[in-house]
Amino acid sequence: MLATSDFRALGTGVRVITLEPQSLEAATIAVERVLGEIDETCSRFRSDSEVRRLNQAAGVPTRVSALLFQAIDTALRVSRMTGGAVDPTVGAAMRIIGYDRDFAMLPADGSFSVAVRPVPGYERIQLDRHASTVTLQPEVEIDLGATAKALAADLCAEAALAVGASGILVSLGGDIAVAGDAPDGGWPILIAEDHATQADLGGEVIALNAGAIATSSTTVRRWRQGGEPRHHIVDPATGAPARVHWRTASVVAASCVDANAAATASIVWGQAAVAWLERNRLAARLIAANGDVTRLSGWPLAVVAV
Amino acid sequence: MHDEDMATPDETARVTGRDRGLQAVRGWTWTVGLGSAALTAVLAFVAAGSFAGHQAAAATQAVSPTDPGTSVENSGQTVPQPAPSDSLGGSSQPPVAVSGGS
């Protein structure tokens, strides 16, 4: 019998589900601990976060914690995997387009827009594994947002198993990692454009037995800047919000990091994402700007829960 | 030609010795220059091996979907990992979680 706990962390909703009720408390505590560490380490909205201090030390080799090193290492791997379509050096770009604080605190219509420019590029981050240092070249500002959240989902699932959960599902704002045993028939997951959609409202449902699923969408975090619509998925090549070809992308992969990377990159790449997803055998569901749905690489035919 | 313009044996010896010295200096200069170039090459090789990240970054340019004919099939970390086979299917069960944008 499944047991569920819901709470908020990292500025989004969190859901923890265990296969058996007796595992839920320990699993939830373990997840909370991981999320707290991620927040203290990777949040660009906290003035006391480690990543904020790192950004302020650009140009200087800076010794960092094992977690921040892992987060940056992961972000760089994602950048290499996506050819730079997902790039952690978007920090300054995010500020320029107006996403400079927790989304809940953004004004309805921010300041007039300013000139955007391409991001510096992930190659301007150097890691020294022996010294555990990170060197950001001058004027490089990193934002680990999406990658860190996906990494957190993977780490949370591992942590829950480590404290005895036989099977676990962790959802962080719609980025979902499962681990261990799964319920009969798999974990049923509603696919939506907004993770806050009520699960019982009906829609396309998949069953996931292993791995992870992540959804990136331009339809949720939206605001206006100088009267111009903005969303939070930056195209590193321009420094501006990506042109919307796919407004939402859901991808299944072995890890939430890989799923999130593919989903985000799909928004940035537009139509070109189809070939890349198929070549890498990643099951994906893409929603075009006009609402048309494309299913790829073994994504199941639509099964709508009533 | 005047006799005063001809060098004395002593002067000739001094000039010869000077020339030999200059030749020796020239030889040392070449030796030091070649050695410096060789040392620079060795240090450059060592430095290049210490910054593997640049090599990795350069090697992954082929991952971009703008080059659909290229792929990095065996580079391990730069290839996304699909979920295990048979791990995904449709479901008619009530969902327990929602995957959506945030």
Side-chain angles (χ1 to χ4, degrees):
Chain A
M1 179 177 141
L2 302 181
T4 302
S5 65
D6 292 310
F7 55 97
R8 288 190 65 82
L10 303 184
T12 192
V14 182
R15 171 163 284 190
V16 177
I17 308 177
T18 56
L19 281 185
E20 60 283 304
Q22 59 268 29
S23 302
L24 181 63
E25 183 176 0
T28 300
I29 292 172
V31 167
E32 288 176 331
R33 182 167 56 243
V34 170
L35 296 182
E37 291 170 354
I38 289 283
D39 192 42
E40 292 173 357
T41 303
C42 302
S43 172
R44 68 182 175 96
F45 300 128
R46 291 181 56 149
S47 60
D48 62 344
S49 72
E50 189 178 3
V51 73
R52 178 73 76 93
R53 293 196 298 274
L54 177 63
N55 279 328
Q56 293 169 346
V60 178
T62 303
R63 192 176 181 89
V64 299
S65 66
L67 181 57
L68 183 56
F69 194 97
Q70 179 183 16
I72 296 173
D73 195 25
T74 299
L76 294 181
R77 181 180 74 80
V78 164
S79 293
R80 293 191 294 269
M81 186 170 73
T82 62
V86 182
D87 190 310
T89 64
V90 295
M94 296 294 262
R95 284 191 292 104
I96 288 171
I97 64 174
Y99 193 5
D100 57 356
R101 68 205 71 178
D102 194 288
F103 185 75
M105 299 171 62
L106 286 184
D109 193 343
S111 58
F112 284 103
S113 58
V114 298
V116 296
R117 59 182 185 271
V119 304
Y122 65 96
E123 299 92 338
R124 298 182 67 183
I125 302 173
Q126 279 87 48
L127 302 183
D128 185 331
R129 297 179 191 282
H130 298 295
S132 296
T133 60
V134 177
T135 305
L136 307 181
Q137 291 187 13
E139 298 186 353
V140 171
E141 185 177 336
I142 62 174
D143 177 354
L144 300 173
T147 304
K149 183 156 72 81
L151 174 64
D154 289 330
L155 293 177
C156 285
E158 290 177 10
L161 287 187
V163 296
S166 62
I168 182 75
L169 178 150
V170 176
S171 173
L172 300 184
D175 284 358
I176 297 175
V178 303
D181 298 331
D184 290 340
W187 298 95
I189 298 169
L190 176 68
I191 308 303
E193 297 203 74
D194 187 341
H195 82 287
T197 301
Q198 280 184 260
D200 58 357
L201 287 183
E204 186 168 340
V205 179
I206 65 166
L208 191 64
N209 287 289
I213 179 171
T215 297
S216 291
S217 180
T218 65
T219 65
V220 179
R221 293 194 188 243
R222 298 180 67 87
W223 66 97
R224 302 188 77 82
Q225 184 184 40
E228 294 295 316
R230 300 291 194 195
H231 65 80
H232 74 296
I233 300 177
V234 168
D235 180 349
T238 64
R243 178 178 159 275
V244 179
H245 177 87
W246 309 113
R247 71 187 193 209
T248 299
S250 301
V251 180
V252 173
S255 69
C256 207
V257 167
D258 283 12
N260 175 270
T264 304
S266 294
I267 301 291
V268 174
W269 285 331
Q271 180 61 34
V274 172
W276 186 85
L277 291 166
E278 291 183 329
R279 185 165 68 247
N280 288 287
R281 295 175 290 117
L282 294 173
R285 178 178 182 264
L286 308 175
I287 303 178
N290 65 359
D292 289 348
V293 178
T294 298
R295 298 177 178 83
L296 303 171
S297 305
W299 186 276
L301 295 175
V303 177
V304 179
V306 178
Chain B
M1 187 170 75
H2 300 282
D3 289 344
E4 294 83 359
D5 293 329
M6 292 181 65
T8 65
D10 285 345
E11 288 174 344
T12 300
R14 281 199 299 276
V15 169
T16 301
R18 181 198 64 193
D19 289 345
R20 286 186 185 142
L22 288 174
Q23 287 176 353
V25 170
R26 186 180 304 121
W28 277 111
T29 300
W30 274 105
T31 301
V32 171
L34 287 175
S36 298
L39 181 60
T40 300
V42 169
L43 291 176
F45 178 80
V46 171
S50 301
F51 291 94
H54 293 292
Q55 297 169 5
T60 56
Q61 292 305 310
V63 183
S64 166
T66 58
D67 298 319
T70 58
S71 64
V72 192
E73 297 295 343
N74 296 315
S75 58
Q77 291 182 331
T78 57
V79 178
Q81 299 302 304
S85 59
D86 300 327
S87 64
L88 177 65
S91 177
S92 59
Q93 297 296 315
V96 297
V98 179
S99 182
S102 63

